[in-house]
Amino acid sequence: ADGLATPLVGIAIDKIGIQRYGKRKSWHAIGTACVAIAFSFIFHKCFGCVDSSELVQQVYYGAFIVMFQFGWASTQISHLSLIPVLTVCRKKIVFLNSIRSGLTFVCGIAVYILMWYLLHVYGSNMEPLGPGDSRAFSYLSLIVIGTGLTFSVLFHLMVRESTDEELRTQVDEQADLLGPKVTQRTIRCWLTNKKFYIVGMMYMFTRVAVNVPQVYLPLYLTSSLSLKKESIAYYPLMMLICSVIGSFLTRPLSKFAGKRVTYVCGAVLVMGSSFWFQFQGKANACPTYGATALIGTGSSIMLIMSLSMTADLIGIHTNTGAFVYGSMSLLDKISNGIVIALIQHFHPDHCTPVDCPTASYYRYTMSAIPGGAALLGSVATLILAVVAALSRSQGPQHTIQAQGDETTADGENIIANAAGEIENSYED
């Protein structure tokens, strides 16, 4: 449901919405309402059907899960597509993406701590988690919903989205500064743009490098390293904390070295952690904190840089920006689903307790998948750099026509100086 919703919602966001309030903010409000309603029911007992059959409860919860997936897609895509509308400044785009990702990781840390407290106070004191802990999850969902609604209301009150007419005026002004007439891109134009697919591949591999460790790190800790069950809280928490640190390193790093070099640096950290996970021994597991710190920092840098380069790809073509983000998200969902399905398919289910390769299997998973995805993402980034260089070598006319993908440094500075926003806005 999530994968199908993202491109469809992206197309709808670009075309439908309350102009005077903001098309993207309208969809963000709809998505927030759907998420809040769905969460209220998903993490509580089935109202009116507690004693019903399993099929009835599956239909009941399944309906709210579909509502949540639609709401989540609406909220995420509208929020992401709003960033290129708020500013054309490349450095500010990096800053907004880093703040967005950093606070996402902070929220994850807060939920970890809050869940630990609620299970301690309201849990059943039984191992493992079971129906007796439902009260703690219910309280957690209510706190998360209340906090999310509060900040969503503040967001809608404090952030103003430009109307389509204002955006068209901005595009015309930038076109006048650069010389030739610049037209807004349609969906068909994006589907014939090679950089659209290169950036999509980069984002897809980035999400695999981010998501697979989050899924399989607990299994690696308990199976490959034979650590106690408490480790599935400590080590992921370390990864989240380092992700926050990485998100705030992206702005100075990209300012110094450029987005693509910063992305590759993050990928190198992820590949380094993959080697660490592969050769980490059971005797002393404390150094594993180093591997989780590397993968948390590196994956955070990769994610923020990939989102920033997606915003660069959109450029002034914000009329179809939500479609671009929706397409990237579709690739994310499909690729992660395929990778995890393949990992589970080749999992060694039939083995004896004495001689079972499960421990080695999760070790290979944590080393090969994130590291390989980081390597392929770096290759896509290098290909993007080569394509951009070839575009520039074909002359200024070709570069200006492709300015939604990547404008020349001089052209960017003309726009930035005229707008009074930044100096030297783009260094890649």
Side-chain angles (χ1 to χ4, degrees):
D2 192 11
L4 292 175
T6 48
L8 298 178
V9 167
I11 295 172
I13 290 172
D14 288 328
K15 295 182 178 298
I16 306 171
I18 303 173
Q19 283 288 340
R20 297 184 64 181
Y21 185 69
K23 291 192 299 185
R24 295 156 190 83
K25 286 178 62 179
S26 301
W27 280 92
H28 187 276
I30 293 172
T32 300
C34 289
V35 169
I37 294 171
F39 253 48
S40 301
F41 289 91
I42 290 173
F43 290 99
H44 289 78
K45 293 181 178 180
C46 184
F47 287 103
C49 55
V50 176
D51 299 324
S52 300
S53 65
E54 182 177 347
L55 178 61
V56 171
Q57 296 194 35
Q58 286 178 348
V59 173
Y60 173 88
Y61 286 111
F64 287 111
I65 289 173
V66 171
M67 177 187 287
F68 167 76
Q69 298 291 7
F70 167 78
W72 187 249
S74 302
T75 305
Q76 290 289 89
I77 301 303
S78 61
H79 195 263
L80 280 169
S81 62
L82 187 59
I83 292 178
V85 174
L86 294 176
T87 179
V88 297
C89 170
R90 297 302 193 246
K91 291 179 181 177
K92 288 183 179 179
I93 287 174
V94 173
F95 177 70
L96 290 175
N97 276 306
S98 63
I99 291 293
R100 183 181 184 277
S101 297
L103 291 179
T104 300
F105 295 129
V106 168
C107 290
I109 294 172
V111 169
Y112 259 102
I113 296 173
L114 187 59
M115 189 73 254
W116 173 82
Y117 172 77
L118 291 174
L119 286 174
H120 179 73
V121 176
Y122 300 106
S124 61
N125 296 322
M126 296 180 64
E127 300 291 347
L129 292 174
D133 300 305
S134 61
R135 187 181 178 188
F137 282 93
S138 297
Y139 286 150
L140 177 66
S141 67
L142 292 175
I143 294 171
V144 169
I145 291 169
T147 305
L149 288 175
T150 300
F151 282 96
S152 293
V153 170
L154 292 175
F155 164 76
H156 282 270
L157 292 176
M158 298 174 65
V159 176
R160 179 185 178 275
E161 178 185 349
S162 300
T163 64
D164 282 353
E165 185 63 32
E166 292 171 333
L167 291 174
R168 279 193 291 269
T169 301
Q170 294 174 13
V171 171
D172 292 339
E173 290 174 352
Q174 293 177 17
D176 292 338
L177 289 169
L178 288 173
K181 181 176 178 59
V182 178
T183 58
Q184 291 281 275
R185 279 220 170 101
T186 63
I187 293 176
R188 180 178 295 179
C189 291
W190 285 119
L191 295 177
T192 58
N193 188 318
K194 56 181 175 296
K195 291 183 181 179
F196 175 76
Y197 296 99
I198 298 171
V199 173
M201 292 297 103
M202 177 191 63
Y203 183 74
M204 180 185 74
F205 291 126
T206 299
R207 295 301 309 195
V208 171
V210 171
N211 292 340
V212 169
Q214 293 177 351
V215 175
Y216 288 99
L217 179 59
L219 296 172
Y220 169 81
L221 295 170
T222 56
S223 179
S224 299
L225 300 184
S226 301
L227 298 180
K228 295 181 179 179
K229 61 183 179 181
E230 290 84 358
S231 65
I232 67 174
Y234 302 148
Y235 288 90
L237 182 60
M238 168 64 75
M239 188 165 65
L240 283 174
I241 292 173
C242 291
S243 296
V244 175
I245 297 172
S247 66
F248 291 105
L249 290 175
T250 53
R251 193 183 187 190
L253 285 174
S254 62
K255 181 179 180 181
F256 174 76
K259 295 184 182 68
R260 298 191 191 99
V261 174
T262 303
Y263 179 93
V264 173
C265 290
V268 169
L269 293 179
V270 173
M271 287 185 278
S273 70
S274 297
F275 282 104
W276 198 327
F277 283 127
Q278 175 63 34
F279 298 106
Q280 174 63 48
K282 292 184 179 180
N284 183 15
C286 287
T288 310
Y289 281 110
T292 55
L294 284 180
I295 200 167
T297 306
S299 61
S300 175
I301 293 173
M302 290 175 62
L303 179 59
I304 294 169
M305 288 298 98
S306 64
L307 289 172
S308 298
M309 284 187 273
T310 303
D312 289 347
L313 174 71
I314 295 169
I316 61 175
H317 305 291
T318 53
N319 64 309
T320 48
F323 166 76
V324 174
Y325 280 114
S327 301
M328 302 298 167
S329 185
L330 175 63
L331 287 174
D332 158 29
K333 304 300 186 299
I334 292 176
S335 61
N336 278 279
I338 292 174
V339 169
I340 292 176
L342 289 174
I343 292 173
Q344 293 303 111
H345 176 74
F346 291 105
H347 183 274
D349 292 324
H350 305 290
C351 57
T352 62
V354 178
D355 183 22
C356 188
T358 301
S360 299
Y361 186 76
Y362 290 129
R363 186 183 294 275
Y364 295 141
T365 299
M366 282 297 296
S367 61
I369 304 300
L375 177 61
L376 292 173
S378 299
V379 171
T381 305
L382 295 176
I383 294 174
L384 183 64
V386 172
V387 172
L390 292 175
S391 298
R392 286 195 294 268
S393 68
Q394 295 178 17
Q397 180 68 24
H398 184 276
T399 303
I400 290 172
Q401 290 174 349
Q403 71 163 338
D405 307 327
E406 179 175 343
T407 57
T408 61
D410 292 338
E412 278 291 325
N413 289 332
I414 292 172
I415 294 174
N417 291 332
E421 290 191 37
I422 56 169
E423 294 180 357
N424 300 323
S425 61
Y426 195 47
E427 335 67 8
D428 278 359

